Amino acid sequence: MDDFLDKLPQMDLMRSEKMTLVQLIIPVESAHRCVTYLGELGLLQFRDLNADKSPFQRTFANQVKRCGEMSRKLRFFKDQIDKAGLRCSPRHELEPYIELGDLEVRNEFSSYLSAEKSLRQLADHEHEVLEMNSNSEKLRQTYNELLEFKIVLQKANGFLVSSNAHATGDETELHEGTYSNNGFIETSSLLEQEMRPEPLNQSGLRFISGIINKDKLLRFERMLFRATRGNMLFNQTPSDEEIMDPSTSEMVEKIVFVVFFSGEQARTKILKICEAFGANCYPVPEDTTKQRQLTREVLSRLSDLEATLDAGTRHRNDALNAVGYSLTKWMTTVRREKAVYDTLNMLNFDVTKKCLVGEGWCPTFAKTQIHEVLQRATFDSNSQVGVIFHIMQAVESPPTYFRTNKLTNAFQEIIDAYGVARYQEANPAVYSVVTYPFLFAVMFGDWGHGLCLLLGALYLLTRERKLSSQKLGSFMEMLFGGRYVILLMALFSIYCGLIYNEFFSVPFHIFGGSAYKCRDTTCSDAYTVGLVKYRDPYPFGVDPSWRGSRSELPYLNSLKMKMSILLGIAQMNLGLILSFFNARFFGSSLDIRYQFIPQMIFLNSLFGYLSLLIIIKWCTGSQADLYHVMIYMFLSPTEELGENELFWGQRPLQAQFPPLFTLNPKLHKLLLHPYSS
């Protein structure tokens, strides 16, 4: 038995790569460039030699903090560009707004802080954008107040016409010094101005006019009614014009109101309620002449503010566009620099403080490539001393590394989502390249839908180079990453759909005519009595005549259920076979004898035997009841099978399974875990 096992192949191509523990002694002047080049190669995993230190105690904590600050500023610019609806398009013919080299940290170890210039430039531009945003918000607030004032003047006039003849006293006018041509920002807003006394007629009736959000109107009116005990008259009308909220940049629907009341105490209560509900109150004169004069004045100032806002928006967009031309490059550079410093923080200084010492794992095949990269980094950094690279003896278990390509990478990620294989274990992702899309197709099974999937996969593949260089959304990025998975699922779905003979759930006579015909020429009872077989079976897949017949459901359900059993048992046996090769590779004969063999007996003495009966029944056309066979194999193993007998010697063979099936788990537990009980 051992000689037979030793002659089997080792499955080296199906296992993770052999790993080597190496040590690097890097001169200070070339440390940054060495780590950068090694990161671009991506075949060396450093060990953290400073695990006992906090992030703030490490050598390059200041550089990491600086990169984090630069990253925050760049994210701020990205948010502002997105908020303005602009695009970060690269500019090839013009110079960058900030030189890319200013963002890169220099090669000399003594000048890691040379990014000060770039940080100051980013801070200046951030301050400029923040100042423009602040000015724009103040201008927008003033513009909104003037717009609300205009709407109130237009809408409140209808409520005041009836009382215009009785108006006495002085009306409140807009203060002449509130909106001067050069004072939009410094002067107080309309909401901050003190309300002047409302007009008072002979009966002592006053009014307050203003505007409020539509969603607060009902609560506002109810509160006014309760506060004044019903001694007020509330009029309202839609503004017919939405106003943008400066804080959220959303359009808000508002309602113009006019409240008539009497008495100073009622006025005080109404003003407090307006303030509590965020309602903006504006003085409206009862004299129509003064209303028209005030409206013209407000319209003139609105026009000036619109021009100012447009000019400020253009200036802000120009500044953001200048930053956006190179924003993507800068963000990539900062991320790379932060990753380099995070890696450098995992290295140790030697006693002379002139070299950095690092340890890491690399695939055995990559040692030559790492040597070349280190030599190139030494040459590019003009270092007089090269990097010392030597192999160490490993004590702990190496990490698992699988070489993947564009096709196998998505399948490897699916397998890793369930669990990463141990070092040098057989890799299930190799088999999932076929089994995963095929089992999906067994479930999907429609060549019409498969063609749709195929078109989508071909679109992703033809635009692979362009899409790989773009930043996609989360859903589109997931589809693009699994483009080869979708391609294989589409191909297998077309194949299984041809077997099921379903094109968007409609059967077709693709491979010739049906093997069945009607009992008479009218075919009036084709779907009630049944069809008659008159020639050889349909050459490929399910006969289209099954669709719509009275036996369609029992036939297709039986076919797909039994096929699922066969595929499931084959998948489980594949997993057990992989466990055998793993045990053999690691030299664990105990796992082979007392784990693999009992599991194979346990699985195949029941479900494997069921799969054998399904295949025999399909080949012989027998009418045997497999449910009856499997149940009475345990209840009455010596009973005659009768018409349920599928092959000679079936009854004595079945009589051996129950005791084997029953004793196998106990034997497995006793031998593998003798002290568990």
Side-chain angles (χ1 to χ4, degrees):
M1 183 66 178
D2 294 335
D3 295 337
F4 172 75
L5 296 178
D6 292 337
K7 293 179 181 179
L8 293 177
Q10 295 290 331
M11 299 179 60
D12 291 333
L13 296 178
M14 306 297 181
R15 301 188 180 278
S16 63
E17 296 293 336
K18 293 182 179 180
M19 305 295 288
T20 303
L21 181 62
V22 298
Q23 185 182 56
L24 303 178
I25 302 177
I26 310 173
V28 167
E29 61 272 11
S30 61
H32 183 275
R33 193 173 293 274
C34 285
V35 173
T36 302
Y37 287 2
L38 289 173
E40 294 172 353
L41 181 63
L43 292 175
L44 180 64
Q45 178 180 333
F46 282 97
R47 299 170 60 189
D48 191 358
L49 303 181
N50 300 312
D52 56 334
K53 296 182 179 179
S54 68
F56 303 102
Q57 294 175 333
R58 305 202 177 196
T59 307
F60 303 99
N62 290 333
Q63 286 77 4
V64 173
K65 181 180 178 181
R66 190 176 304 277
C67 290
E69 180 66 16
M70 296 171 72
S71 179
R72 183 197 64 79
K73 295 180 185 297
L74 293 175
R75 286 197 304 271
F76 167 76
F77 289 129
K78 181 68 168 58
D79 293 339
Q80 293 298 314
I81 290 174
D82 294 338
K83 187 177 180 180
L86 305 176
R87 297 184 60 185
C88 300
S89 55
R91 176 174 60 178
H92 301 287
E93 70 279 1
L94 299 176
E95 290 297 326
Y97 195 52
I98 302 174
E99 291 294 335
L100 183 61
D102 292 335
L103 288 176
E104 296 178 351
V105 181
R106 307 298 182 226
N107 300 329
E108 294 80 5
F109 188 78
S110 60
S111 60
Y112 277 119
L113 301 180
S114 60
E116 282 283 356
K117 178 181 177 182
S118 61
L119 190 58
R120 286 195 300 269
Q121 288 180 346
L122 288 176
D124 292 341
H125 293 298
E126 182 186 24
H127 177 72
E128 180 184 2
V129 174
L130 287 174
E131 186 176 357
M132 287 189 290
N133 288 343
S134 177
N135 294 338
S136 177
E137 289 179 3
K138 292 180 181 179
L139 288 174
R140 175 58 63 179
Q141 181 181 2
T142 305
Y143 178 82
N144 287 347
E145 292 175 356
L146 283 174
L147 184 60
E148 290 178 351
F149 196 6
K150 183 198 74 171
I151 296 173
V152 170
L153 286 172
Q154 294 173 347
K155 296 294 183 179
N157 183 44
F159 302 129
L160 302 178
V161 169
S162 59
S163 60
N164 190 34
H166 306 284
T168 58
D170 297 331
E171 293 85 358
T172 304
E173 295 183 10
L174 187 66
H175 195 281
E176 295 295 335
T178 303
Y179 299 104
S180 60
N181 291 334
N182 56 356
F184 291 110
I185 298 175
E186 291 78 13
T187 57
S188 60
S189 64
L190 291 174
L191 296 179
E192 298 171 348
Q193 296 182 29
E194 181 180 359
M195 293 287 297
R196 295 193 179 188
E198 287 80 8
L200 178 64
N201 55 25
Q202 295 176 353
S203 62
L205 185 65
R206 300 182 179 186
F207 71 90
I208 292 177
S209 56
I211 191 168
I212 190 173
N213 289 356
K214 184 179 180 181
D215 56 352
K216 300 180 181 179
L217 180 65
L218 294 178
R219 292 176 292 155
F220 177 66
E221 184 178 1
R222 189 181 300 116
M223 183 61 69
L224 287 176
F225 182 84
R226 292 176 179 175
T228 59
R229 299 183 180 181
N231 296 321
M232 63 94 185
L233 179 62
F234 187 84
N235 294 287
Q236 59 171 319
T237 182
S239 63
D240 298 335
E241 188 174 350
E242 292 185 342
I243 301 175
M244 186 178 72
D245 187 355
S247 59
T248 62
S249 299
E250 295 180 356
M251 303 304 293
V252 181
E253 188 175 355
K254 295 198 173 186
I255 301 295
V256 176
F257 66 88
V258 177
V259 184
F260 293 92
F261 61 93
S262 178
E264 184 65 24
Q265 187 177 5
R267 172 183 176 275
T268 304
K269 290 181 179 180
I270 293 174
L271 289 177
K272 289 182 178 180
I273 294 173
C274 291
E275 182 181 359
F277 279 85
N280 299 332
C281 298
Y282 299 99
V284 178
E286 294 188 51
D287 188 359
T288 56
T289 302
K290 292 187 176 181
Q291 286 183 12
R292 288 193 295 268
Q293 179 182 357
L294 195 57
T295 302
R296 286 194 298 269
E297 182 182 355
V298 170
L299 290 175
S300 174
R301 293 171 181 173
L302 277 175
S303 177
D304 295 339
L305 267 180
E306 286 180 358
T308 305
L309 283 172
D310 291 341
T313 302
R314 286 194 301 270
H315 178 63
R316 178 172 173 272
N317 290 345
D318 291 341
L320 292 176
N321 276 325
V323 174
Y325 286 135
S326 300
L327 183 62
T328 303
K329 292 182 179 179
W330 298 341
M331 296 181 72
T332 303
T333 300
V334 171
R335 282 197 299 267
R336 184 179 68 243
E337 292 297 321
K338 187 176 184 298
V340 169
Y341 286 123
D342 285 334
T343 304
L344 287 172
N345 276 331
M346 301 169 68
L347 278 59
N348 268 338
F349 272 108
D350 68 337
V351 292
T352 62
K353 299 293 183 179
K354 295 182 179 180
C355 294
L356 286 171
V357 180
E359 297 177 2
W361 294 96
C362 71
T364 303
F365 71 87
K367 290 188 292 185
T368 303
Q369 301 179 46
I370 294 176
H371 270 295
E372 295 175 355
V373 165
L374 294 177
Q375 291 175 3
R376 181 161 58 91
T378 302
F379 177 78
D380 292 344
S381 58
N382 298 321
S383 175
Q384 301 297 324
V385 182
V387 179
I388 300 176
F389 176 88
H390 65 88
I391 299 173
M392 301 176 61
Q393 294 297 326
V395 178
E396 69 272 18
S397 177
T400 303
Y401 173 73
F402 295 108
R403 265 195 288 186
T404 59
N405 51 36
K406 293 186 293 185
L407 173 62
T408 61
N409 183 63
F411 294 99
Q412 188 66 58
E413 290 182 355
I414 294 174
I415 297 300
D416 291 344
Y418 291 93
V420 179
R422 288 188 305 165
Y423 176 64
Q424 288 283 282
E425 273 191 344
N427 185 15
V430 177
Y431 307 95
S432 68
V433 173
V434 175
T435 59
Y436 183 84
F438 177 71
L439 292 178
F440 168 84
V442 171
M443 174 195 68
F444 201 63
D446 191 299
W447 64 278
H449 291 96
L451 287 175
C452 296
L453 276 180
L454 181 62
L455 292 177
L458 292 177
Y459 170 79
L460 294 175
L461 291 175
T462 53
R463 299 175 62 87
E464 179 178 352
R465 180 175 300 179
K466 182 177 180 180
L467 293 176
S468 61
S469 60
Q470 296 179 355
K471 185 175 182 180
L472 308 174
S474 57
F475 180 73
M476 191 62 187
E477 186 174 357
M478 179 185 66
L479 288 181
F480 180 73
R483 57 195 180 278
Y484 289 100
V485 180
I486 298 175
L487 175 65
L488 292 178
M489 289 194 302
L491 296 176
F492 281 115
S493 296
I494 294 173
Y495 171 74
C496 291
L498 291 174
I499 293 179
Y500 298 157
N501 200 351
E502 289 189 3
F503 179 80
F504 296 107
S505 300
V506 177
F508 282 89
H509 293 78
I510 303 174
F511 302 101
S514 172
Y516 299 89
K517 66 178 181 179
C518 300
R519 295 177 181 273
D520 54 50
T521 56
T522 61
C523 279
S524 58
D525 57 354
Y527 301 116
T528 57
V529 178
L531 304 174
V532 178
K533 184 176 181 180
Y534 73 100
R535 66 178 186 182
D536 294 337
Y538 194 68
F540 185 83
V542 177
D543 195 304
S545 295
W546 286 104
R547 178 69 63 181
S549 65
R550 63 176 183 173
S551 56
E552 174 193 5
L553 193 60
Y555 169 72
L556 291 180
N557 282 353
S558 176
L559 169 67
K560 295 181 180 180
M561 180 184 66
K562 293 174 181 176
M563 186 172 62
S564 300
I565 293 174
L566 295 178
L567 294 174
I569 299 304
Q571 182 90 344
M572 295 170 70
N573 275 285
L574 175 61
L576 293 179
I577 292 172
L578 289 181
S579 70
F580 161 76
F581 280 102
N582 283 333
R584 177 174 170 267
F585 179 83
F586 292 111
S588 178
S589 59
L590 183 68
D591 289 340
I592 295 176
R593 290 186 174 89
Y594 303 117
Q595 184 171 338
F596 166 71
I597 294 177
Q599 286 176 347
M600 290 293 290
I601 296 174
F602 182 88
L603 176 65
N604 292 293
S605 61
L606 180 62
F607 298 106
Y609 179 65
L610 174 61
S611 302
L612 177 64
L613 295 182
I614 291 174
I615 296 174
I616 294 176
K617 182 178 178 180
W618 279 351
C619 295
T620 60
S622 172
Q623 299 297 320
D625 186 1
L626 298 185
Y627 292 106
H628 183 277
V629 173
M630 297 303 296
I631 291 174
Y632 283 92
M633 183 175 70
F634 291 93
L635 296 180
S636 301
T638 59
E639 181 182 348
E640 293 291 337
L641 296 176
E643 63 180 7
N644 291 326
E645 187 173 1
L646 291 170
F647 58 91
W648 179 84
Q650 180 179 351
R651 185 171 64 85
L653 178 62
Q654 288 185 177
Q656 308 300 320
F657 289 144
L660 185 64
F661 182 77
T662 304
L663 295 176
N664 181 58
K666 295 182 180 179
L667 181 64
H668 175 210
K669 182 178 180 181
L670 180 63
L671 294 177
L672 196 58
H673 309 285
Y675 303 105
S676 60
S677 58

